[in-house]
Amino acid sequence: MENLIQLVNKIQRACTALGDHGEESAMPTLWDALPSIAVVGGQSSGKSSVLESIVGKDFLPRGSGIVTRRPLVLQLHKIDEGREYAEFMHLPRKKFTDFAAVRQEISDETDRETGRSKSISSVPIHLSIYSPHVVNLTLVDLPGLTKVAIDGQPESIVQDIENMVRSFIEKPNCIILAISPANQDLATSDAIKISREVDPKGERTFGVLTKIDLMDKGTDAVDILEGRAYKLNFPWIGVVNRSQADINKNVDMIAARRRENEYFANTPEYRHLASRMGSVHLGKVLSKHLETVIKSRIPGLQSLISKTICDLEAELSRLGRPMATDTGGKLYMAMEICRNFDQIYKDHLDGVKPGGEKIYQVFDSQFPAAMKRLQFDKHLSTDNVRKLITEADGYQPHLIAPEQGYRRLIESCIVAIRGPAEAAVDAVHAILKDLIHKSISETVELKQYPTLRTELGSAAVESLERMREESKKATLLLVDMECGYLTVDFFRKLPQDAEKGGNPTVSLFDRYNDNYLRRIATTVLSYVNMVCATLRNTIPKSVVYCQVREAKRSLLDHFFTELGKREGKQLGKLLDEDPAVMQRRMSLAKRLELYRSAQSEIEAVAWAK
């Protein structure tokens, strides 16, 4: 499992590159789930000196006030041999062998993010150091806790720093390295105070005591180092850093480590603790513990990564595919989206999706009911029949049968069927139009492009309008055809006896009696009912042929023709995706790539156990 820390280092660098480093996010960040060691301490607690002792190099900015104003993710990589060097993630192709230049780059990069206002930022600087004299370890150096703001800093900076530190160390995967100076009362230690708040049982806090050699004569830190003054789950570790005079004289770090070991070995109060004191021991303990924690977190990491990959894929699917850049690609994409809509529309009509069954209800229920409401029997009242028969006779009454009267009566009845016929056309049109809106809402890709959605909807509705007009012409033509030519066989089969008006010897005045007129009305009604029965079958056929069938066959034909004539800019406006959505998709795609890479790498390490 010696590759565990390197694995986490690699994932952390990728997280930082994508901005996935623990800031606010809709989903939990991978950074938050990775075990890390955060270095916490007040100003002048010796925090920087501890880090430099672990590394064995002078590389951190120094000065008065708040020097560390951004988190510094420090990744140590042990190499077998070769010259020590450092790399910044924001300068990936540059190797620093001069660590004074590393110090300067940290200051410059801090100013690039925060300006020279001495404000702070939670965006980390990522530094990797490769050396034969380090252990594999990752540390996050946080700004030093302070109690007052200095000139040029906002008054809120004291609270801002505390909030930043707290946001790192309150995460359950964070190991806290609490730095406290031995020459101050431990009860006033900023590091211990904030660590106790987030880790009251001391289960993930390592206590480091600095400046032991600067304690007043006659006092010592044995009670603290042996865990009696403040108990933690892990033993306290004491370190002796270089003095300011040593730093000014550029005392070699290796020599400083040797002097530190000699101090603990030769001081009577600490001689029995010497084997677990010093910065070298601290680095080894932290490296081993970090590796153990990472190992225990692997199952949880795998679970989180798998779930997040599913969430990212679902959101990317919801956002849809990215827009093509060339004219041909844009045209293809627009037509593909339209075809998806068209297929959904057909599915509704064919019964794969609900909605198309309403058309059958028009033919099975609404249209027949409208025909019944025509009430031809009232139209064929005795007075109305007498009026039309008499008008048809003109100045000379009919001799045998009132043929013109019959024709006018039948025509006046059949013409009334135009109303239900038009209503059937309009009812089916309304259903087809409603299905357009329904299909648009169900076409996921159209949510991405509001202009295309609007133009597609308008084009589809215009097509339906043309189909409705054609359907009305064809349907009303069926009614008019029934008016234009009567079925003669129907009348030839009627009995021509005296009682039914077939005998020409009956008096003309008898022919116009109520009984005679009622018989005419009955005959006409029988014929009209026969026509209605025919139209109840043929009108639905006409409506389906002219509207439903055409909607399935050629709803978007005109729109496709018009699309093919558009230039690249016009197609670009049609696919006018919200820039925020485009940016979101790019961010999600990069994050998904990170998580998939992390998944494969963690699985490779897990299988190697």
Side-chain angles (χ1 to χ4, degrees), residues 39-50 141-145 177-184 189-191 208-212 214 239 241:
V39 185
V40 182
Q43 285 187 24
S44 303
S45 63
K47 184 165 61 72
S48 296
S49 294
V50 170
D141 183 24
L142 298 172
L145 296 161
L177 189 63
I179 311 291
S180 301
N183 60 350
Q184 294 180 13
S189 168
D190 296 315
V208 177
L209 205 60
T210 63
K211 303 186 180 182
I212 295 176
L214 302 180
V239 296
N241 298 321

Side-chain angles (χ1 to χ4, degrees), residues 311-337:
D311 292 342
L312 290 168
E313 288 175 339
E315 187 168 356
L316 278 171
S317 175
R318 182 181 63 78
L319 291 176
R321 294 174 297 174
M323 186 178 70
T325 54
D326 60 297
T327 302
K330 289 175 183 176
L331 178 60
Y332 177 79
M333 176 176 283
M335 295 189 75
E336 276 296 293
I337 294 171

Side-chain angles (χ1 to χ4, degrees), residues 55-127:
V55 175
K57 286 290 179 182
D58 292 308
F59 68 97
L60 291 173
R62 294 182 180 273
S64 61
I66 302 169
V67 178
T68 303
R69 292 183 285 121
R70 289 175 61 183
L72 174 67
V73 179
L74 176 61
Q75 294 183 342
L76 306 181
H77 305 265
K78 183 175 180 61
I79 56 177
D80 294 333
E81 56 185 19
R83 191 176 182 185
E84 298 165 300
Y85 67 94
E87 286 182 344
F88 287 94
M89 199 182 71
H90 62 274
L91 298 171
R93 288 178 292 276
K94 184 174 182 180
K95 287 186 178 181
F96 289 78
T97 54
D98 179 2
F99 281 81
V102 172
R103 180 188 303 117
Q104 186 60 47
E105 181 59 30
I106 292 173
S107 296
D108 293 345
E109 178 62 16
T110 298
D111 290 340
R112 279 192 281 270
E113 178 67 27
T114 63
R116 297 186 178 275
S117 62
K118 298 189 182 299
S119 60
I120 63 170
S121 168
S122 62
V123 178
I125 297 172
H126 210 287
L127 173 63

Side-chain angles (χ1 to χ4, degrees), residues 9-17 75 77 89 126 128 130:
N9 286 353
K10 184 175 181 180
I11 297 174
Q12 281 180 330
R13 285 197 297 274
C15 287
T16 303
Q75 294 183 342
H77 305 265
M89 199 182 71
H126 210 287
S128 295
Y130 300 82

Side-chain angles (χ1 to χ4, degrees), residues 24 53 88 94 152 192 242 286 328 375 408 449 511 563:
E24 292 183 7
S53 294
F88 287 94
K94 184 174 182 180
I192 292 298
R242 292 176 303 165
L286 292 177
Q375 297 179 329
R408 290 192 182 183
Y449 306 108
R511 287 179 181 278
L563 267 184

